[in-house]
Amino acid sequence: MAARSARTGARRAGANLRPGAKRLMDAPEGTTMRLLTLNRTLVAGAIALLAGFAATAAGAAQNSPKDIVTGFYRMVFEDHRVKEGFDQYVGPTYTQHNPNVPDGPEATIRFLSGRFEKNPQATNKIIRVIADGDLVAVHVHSTLNPQDRGNAIVDIFRVTNGRIVEHWDVIQPVPETAANPNTMF
């Protein structure tokens, strides 16, 4: 034990330094504190840099076209917060391919707000979401009230620069009977 203690003490004293190296304690006065401060600054900078990369990666994942469309769809079609959803998720130019609705966000806000005022129990249950680059398709079961068989809808959105800018939809009524045992969902 004494031999080990002696070796440790020798290392502390600088006995195992490479040739030409100086112990930190032998540095001129104030140098030790400056080096420690520099080391702490470098470590803090590296941590901040890594945290920034992690936040950027997380932000990119949160703002994917799929996340944007899903957030929009839930806010507008499930919560009926139409204006808020359009303000948060839709761009100033909004191309509408539904032949019953004019182009532009304001026209679609009026159309959907009127639909939900007439049908406050209307729901659109998301069944699946499919994303391919800037295009996102949402397959939903839309009903006006609990008694309504509803429609099977596929809404397709194009997202540019984090905003929804274009919309297509395909709407098919849910029939009372089908030629096969499969559901539409």
Side-chain angles (χ1 to χ4, degrees):
M1 196 60 133
R4 183 174 179 192
S5 182
R7 281 196 310 265
T8 303
R11 262 190 246 128
R12 285 190 190 130
N16 291 333
L17 290 175
R18 58 189 155 88
K22 291 186 176 184
R23 291 181 308 155
L24 193 56
M25 294 184 306
D26 294 336
E29 191 175 326
T31 303
T32 303
M33 213 43 173
R34 283 194 300 271
L35 288 173
L36 289 174
T37 301
L38 177 62
N39 284 341
R40 286 182 186 140
T41 303
L42 290 173
V43 168
I47 290 170
L49 185 62
L50 290 174
F53 286 137
T56 300
Q62 290 174 348
N63 296 322
S64 71
K66 184 176 179 178
D67 291 334
I68 290 165
V69 168
T70 303
F72 167 78
Y73 215 89
R74 288 200 166 108
M75 186 177 286
V76 171
F77 291 97
E78 292 177 7
D79 301 338
H80 297 185
R81 293 169 25 217
V82 179
K83 175 93 169 90
E84 186 180 347
F86 271 77
D87 288 347
Q88 184 171 338
Y89 293 104
V90 175
T93 302
Y94 183 72
T95 304
Q96 177 61 263
H97 294 277
N98 181 319
N100 299 314
V101 184
D103 278 341
E106 290 305 319
T108 306
I109 290 168
R110 280 191 305 276
F111 176 83
L112 291 173
S113 295
R115 179 179 186 258
F116 295 137
E117 284 172 19
K118 291 177 190 166
N119 304 287
Q121 293 182 312
T123 62
N124 281 37
K125 180 182 177 197
I126 295 174
I127 305 301
R128 62 187 51 86
V129 180
I130 303 165
D132 182 17
D134 64 348
L135 295 174
V136 179
V138 184
H139 182 206
V140 301
H141 183 200
S142 176
T143 59
L144 295 177
N145 57 58
Q147 296 76 36
D148 184 24
R149 295 188 65 72
N151 291 305
I153 299 176
V154 175
D155 280 301
I156 304 168
F157 298 93
R158 186 166 59 86
V159 177
T160 301
N161 297 323
R163 296 295 221 174
I164 297 169
V165 296
E166 197 163 6
H167 170 254
W168 299 259
D169 56 14
V170 180
I171 303 170
Q172 184 178 13
V174 175
E176 193 169 322
T177 60
N180 60 56
N182 308 314
T183 73
M184 296 180 75
F185 307 102

